[in-house]
Amino acid sequence: MYSYTVAKAASEKEFEKVCRLIESHFKGISKDRILEDVDGSSIQIYHKGKASITVFNDYEVDAVYVDSEIELNDII
């Protein structure tokens, strides 16, 4: 599992930017509906084969970060 901190503060703009980067880099990637928490946090889950990429805009942690089963060093 790979973990990447994208922003050290929750940000809808950074969350959307990372999602666009992932979607443009991986052709044919599938995604679930965005999950939204009562505090405004968002989670987007992508699937590439059997691997998953999860993008978080977390207001409780106050960060935008990615947990991935695929290495994303060239993207993020």
Side-chain angles (χ1 to χ4, degrees), residues 29-65:
I29 196 167
S30 64
K31 65 180 180 177
D32 296 344
R33 283 189 9 209
I34 292 179
L35 304 173
E36 294 187 23
D37 197 352
V38 294
D39 69 357
S41 296
S42 302
I43 302 170
Q44 178 66 69
I45 302 171
Y46 294 96
H47 303 280
K48 180 71 173 164
K50 293 185 178 184
S52 66
I53 302 169
T54 307
V55 183
F56 299 87
N57 183 29
D58 193 326
Y59 284 97
E60 186 173 327
V61 174
D62 200 22
V64 176
Y65 59 96

